[in-house]
Amino acid sequence: MTDEKNNSKVVNPHDKVFREIYSDKENARSLLAGKLPD
């Protein structure tokens, strides 16, 4: 993730990992598809 995409400071390392992974649309789509009802 680049600074241009996320200019807020992340203090918690877990937040940083989550933001890195789910800033990708395909990763976010996959997470939501697996958790939300049809």
Side-chain angles (χ1 to χ4, degrees), residues 6 17 19-20 22-23 27 36:
N6 181 16
V17 170
R19 288 181 185 205
E20 277 289 324
Y22 294 111
S23 65
N27 288 336
L36 295 175

Side-chain angles (χ1 to χ4, degrees), residues 20-36:
E20 277 289 324
I21 293 170
Y22 294 111
S23 65
D24 181 308
K25 286 183 183 182
E26 289 302 315
N27 288 336
R29 207 174 270 139
S30 175
L31 172 74
L32 292 173
K35 298 296 179 185
L36 295 175

Side-chain angles (χ1 to χ4, degrees), residues 2-29:
T2 63
D3 289 337
E4 295 84 33
K5 284 178 141 181
N6 181 16
N7 58 10
S8 63
K9 185 175 179 181
V10 177
V11 178
N12 186 334
H14 295 96
D15 290 344
K16 184 175 182 177
V17 170
F18 185 87
R19 288 181 185 205
E20 277 289 324
I21 293 170
Y22 294 111
S23 65
D24 181 308
K25 286 183 183 182
E26 289 302 315
N27 288 336
R29 207 174 270 139

